[in-house]
Amino acid sequence: ADLAEKYATDAEPEAGTVVVFGGDAEVTACSSDAHHAVAGVISTDPAYMMNSEAEGQYVALTGRVPVKVTGPVAKGDLMVTSSVAGHAKADNNAQAGRILGKAISSHQGEGEGVVEVLITLM
């Protein structure tokens, strides 16, 4: 479950997409490594919904959500935005203000996948 708030998106990103502040609307899919404007992840099933009357999509701000990832991820890894559009990656040396959260599950290999992440924007 997660706490989510509606934000205007410049496209219709699918659930699990990592978003940053920017683009033509309020948020857009990430496209650069460890971006400082990280906003959250498009929620799959928010438990608490803020700003429900606004236009847009629910962005998970905190809580447990599935997240698109690229590259290997181990449980407990710090997660940041990646240069693969809408995906996060592991970076245990990430600077404050660029951290999306911590991985709850893992992903093997260099390809793309989905892991659960405890969203705790830091």
Side-chain angles (χ1 to χ4, degrees):
D2 63 89
L3 171 108
E5 184 172 14
K6 267 194 182 173
Y7 285 91
T9 55
D10 58 2
E12 259 319 291
E14 63 187 18
T17 301
V18 180
V19 293
V20 295
F21 293 108
D24 293 331
E26 293 176 317
V27 297
T28 190
C30 70
S31 61
S32 62
D33 290 335
H35 200 286
H36 68 276
V38 62
V41 177
I42 301 298
S43 182
T44 54
D45 190 21
Y48 299 100
M49 296 165 276
M50 300 186 303
N51 218 13
S52 61
E53 295 175 11
E55 294 292 321
Q57 291 179 271
Y58 283 108
V59 175
L61 305 175
T62 189
R64 182 180 185 145
V65 294
V67 176
K68 295 179 182 180
V69 298
T70 186
V73 176
K75 291 179 185 179
D77 279 349
L78 294 176
M79 304 302 296
V80 298
T81 63
S82 81
S83 58
V84 176
H87 288 66
K89 69 174 188 171
D91 180 354
N92 290 316
N93 295 311
Q95 294 179 324
R98 298 169 188 267
I99 299 169
L100 178 64
K102 288 188 180 185
I104 297 171
S105 59
S106 57
H107 175 257
Q108 304 302 317
E110 295 299 319
E112 297 174 5
V114 175
V115 300
E116 281 209 310
V117 174
L118 173 59
I119 304 299
T120 51
L121 298 170
M122 298 180 252

